[in-house]
Amino acid sequence: MPRPFTLFTGQWADLPLEEVCRLARDFGYDGLELACWGDHFEVDRALADPAYLPGRHALLEKYGLNCWAVSNHLVGQAVCDNPIDERHRGILPARIWGDGEPEGVRRRAAAELRDTARAAAAFGVDTVIGFTGSAIWHLVAMFPPVPPTMIDRGYEDFAERWHPILDTFDAEGVRFAHEVHPGEIAYDYWTTRRALTALGDRPAFGLNFDPSHFVWQDIDPVGFLYDFRDRIYHVDCKEARRRLDGRNGRLGSHLPWGDPRRGWDFVSAGHGDVPWEDVFRMLRSIDYQGPVSVEWEDAGMDRLTGAPQALAHLRQFDFDPPAAAFDAAFGSGD
């Protein structure tokens, strides 16, 4: 059976949710991965207003859409980040930013993640996707020389802050799917291993598979899927394109998205370097049963063109497996 395809609404949060629902229906999507910003899924209202969640369901049903996951990347980023600065003020709700005192921001962000689990459970969704932040991402260049104890403390800080959050996830029957991404405690293969170990491999913490950042880091996304197959709780289809020409660097050179001097950039699915057919074949091999969500990002293409085009491109790889082995007809039938 074909799996459901959803549209992640994070890049559409400037539009009212009803407008996004209309567009997603017209594009041919089966549902939405609702972002917890804009007016799409408001955690505080979900817990305070008895009419809010039924209203969200009614709106989705009006357009023939479903929801399997909500995403709270922006607040999750502030749970572990160091430093907390003006970048966070730009992405956090005012009630989470407060007076901007860093530890207060982190505590309020952690409380909001716990409330997100409660809101998701009340909404009938069992997966929350997001970021963790990191106290040690700023040490990635390893100079000035970084003592191993500083890295150890970063993972200890992560575990101390996330265990209480995950206790609430467990109590609510909801899982957290961390998006492996630069800037987070887990940003590549080995840091993912270490992050899972830091939490004692507790099942409440898994992964949102997004291959776009693996591509520019030269990590095999298909091998990652296989090795972490028991932790793939959600899949986002985002695309990246490398242009490492001897001048353009892998780290982006502090250049804006879409600048031709960047060594890599996000592009609409089908226009980059992710081996999508191999990804979908592996998803079938590891028996991933969840939805596939298109996270559309492309500084050089209008989203009204890119979102339906990405869906059409990806659907072609969601073919049914054969009913029998192709060589079964060669046998005697014994």
Side-chain angles (χ1 to χ4, degrees), residues 185-205:
I185 197 67
Y187 59 86
D188 63 9
Y189 186 99
W190 296 113
T191 56
T192 299
R193 286 280 187 210
R194 185 157 185 184
L196 293 171
T197 299
L199 292 173
D201 291 308
R202 62 185 296 178
F205 188 93

Side-chain angles (χ1 to χ4, degrees), residues 21-97:
C21 287
R22 183 189 66 78
L23 289 169
R25 178 202 61 190
D26 293 348
F27 293 158
Y29 285 91
D30 303 304
L32 298 177
E33 175 193 339
L34 289 174
C36 296
W37 54 93
D39 79 335
H40 295 183
F41 192 85
E42 299 166 87
V43 172
D44 55 340
R45 290 188 63 191
L47 297 179
D49 180 356
Y52 182 77
L53 293 179
R56 297 288 91 173
H57 278 300
L59 189 55
L60 290 168
E61 291 167 6
K62 177 180 176 180
Y63 292 92
L65 301 171
N66 289 299
C67 178
W68 288 268
V70 300
S71 297
N72 209 348
H73 293 72
L74 304 187
V75 170
Q77 186 67 44
V79 173
C80 289
D81 258 8
N82 183 21
I84 296 286
D85 54 35
E86 61 198 88
R87 299 167 302 152
H88 300 83
R89 186 174 191 172
I91 64 173
L92 293 174
R95 59 191 170 79
I96 305 298
W97 176 257

Side-chain angles (χ1 to χ4, degrees), residues 21 30 76 79 88 90 92 94 96 109 123 125 127 129 139 151 167 230 249 292 300 306 312-313:
C21 287
D30 303 304
V79 173
H88 300 83
L92 293 174
I96 305 298
F123 193 51
V125 166
T127 304
I129 301 149
L139 305 176
I151 305 301
D167 289 344
D230 62 332
V292 169
H313 179 77

Side-chain angles (χ1 to χ4, degrees), residues 12 19 43 85 96 99-100 106 133 142 200 213 215 222 238 294-295 308 328-329:
W12 306 74
E19 176 65 6
V43 172
D85 54 35
I96 305 298
D99 62 3
R106 296 184 191 105
M142 299 294 281
H213 289 284
V215 162
V222 181
K238 192 161 97 254
V294 172
E295 183 178 358

Side-chain angles (χ1 to χ4, degrees), residues 172-251:
E172 298 293 339
V174 177
R175 306 178 301 180
F176 184 78
H178 168 57
E179 185 171 328
V180 179
H181 186 294
E184 312 309 318
I185 197 67
Y187 59 86
D188 63 9
Y189 186 99
W190 296 113
T191 56
T192 299
R193 286 280 187 210
R194 185 157 185 184
L196 293 171
T197 299
L199 292 173
D201 291 308
R202 62 185 296 178
F205 188 93
L207 305 174
N208 177 51
F209 174 75
D210 173 354
S212 62
H213 289 284
F214 299 152
V215 162
W216 68 266
Q217 293 186 81
D218 286 334
I219 296 167
D220 173 19
V222 181
F224 186 97
L225 267 179
Y226 183 78
D227 287 0
F228 292 99
R229 56 194 177 275
D230 62 332
R231 291 294 173 143
I232 304 300
Y233 292 172
H234 192 263
V235 170
D236 271 1
C237 289
K238 192 161 97 254
E239 180 84 90
R241 183 180 188 182
R242 291 184 300 263
R243 287 298 177 267
L244 301 170
D245 61 2
R247 294 176 297 171
N248 297 354
R250 193 178 300 279
L251 298 183

